[in-house]
Amino acid sequence: MHAWTVAGALLVGLADARLGAIALGAALLALTAWLVRHDVARRTIRARGATRYMAACMLGGYVWLALASTLLLLSGPSGFPVAQPAYDAVTHAILLGFTMSMIMAHATTILPAILHISLPYRPVFWVPAALLHTSLVVRIWLGDGLGLQWAFVWGGALGVAALVLFLLTAVGSAIAGPPKPRARGGAGQDHGPGAPGDPAGPGDANSTGDPAGSSAAAGSAAEGADRA
């Protein structure tokens, strides 16, 4: 349904640029609302590890898609935002903010199925994701919104760095393979008396073949026989 709505908005844009931009903004905003309402990410954001990472990337992507939709709804008489700041904000919010967030979120699950390689999640995946969203805040808010030229330049540089860092992180994680599980107990851990693997539990001296315990028991039996 949402795909047909977006396609219809694009067709409207061929006839009337302004109405097409507004229709596309409304279609994308409706899609964003539907995703936020039905996506399990709203609940899994409270989880840990890879599940929380995926949810955070997806929710962040929805924020950028909503921003792009709002800017399209505010299109001027000429249609699709033609002013450089508005055009830059819409394209980067959709292509980087939404699309790349979805790629980062599902990289550890989709890429292994497509490329037939192991790509385990590691906490370091948070770094390029956080850098990507930071770059968009700098570029879109400070650069496009406030007109600060240095923010426009630095936002673009940070965005490129985020993409390169994500690629390096994914390749490094694939080469390193699955993380090794941590050992749950040290070699000298005290399991307590009578615990599994403890041959010196109380009352088990004879059953474990302890020669000292057997000798003591034999001596006690001999002493009792002599007294009798």
Side-chain angles (χ1 to χ4, degrees):
M1 172 183 175
H2 293 286
W4 285 107
T5 305
V6 172
L10 294 176
L11 291 177
V12 172
L14 296 177
D16 190 302
R18 183 172 185 272
L19 290 180
I22 294 175
L24 181 60
L28 292 179
L29 193 59
L31 173 61
T32 305
W34 186 90
L35 289 172
V36 171
R37 179 176 180 180
H38 296 282
D39 201 323
V40 72
R42 291 188 299 113
R43 296 186 293 274
T44 56
I45 190 64
R46 295 187 289 270
R48 296 181 180 180
T51 304
R52 186 173 190 176
Y53 165 77
M54 294 175 64
C57 289
M58 294 172 69
L59 293 176
Y62 298 156
V63 171
W64 294 115
L65 186 60
L67 174 63
S69 305
T70 303
L71 292 176
L72 287 172
L73 288 173
L74 300 177
S75 298
S78 58
F80 187 80
V82 292
Q84 194 275 337
Y87 178 84
D88 184 80
V90 170
T91 54
H92 281 78
I94 294 177
L95 298 180
L96 287 181
F98 176 72
T99 306
M100 279 307 304
S101 291
M102 296 301 109
I103 293 176
M104 289 183 174
H106 298 92
T108 56
T109 56
I110 293 180
L111 291 182
I114 297 176
L115 303 178
H116 303 287
I117 60 173
S118 175
L119 184 57
Y121 162 80
R122 284 180 167 82
V124 71
F125 274 99
W126 282 94
V127 177
L131 186 59
L132 174 67
H133 293 286
T134 301
S135 71
L136 290 171
V137 169
V138 172
R139 183 177 183 123
I140 295 178
W141 178 35
L142 300 179
D144 295 328
L146 300 182
L148 301 177
Q149 183 63 27
W150 66 266
F152 182 83
V153 174
W154 276 100
L158 291 175
V160 173
L163 299 181
V164 174
L165 183 58
F166 173 71
L167 179 61
L168 295 177
T169 302
V171 172
S173 182
I175 294 175
K180 296 181 180 179
R182 297 181 179 179
R184 294 201 172 187
Q189 182 176 359
D190 184 12
H191 295 284
D198 183 5
D204 290 338
N206 295 334
S207 61
T208 56
D210 183 2
S214 301
S215 300
S220 300
E223 183 180 355
D226 292 341
R227 291 180 179 178

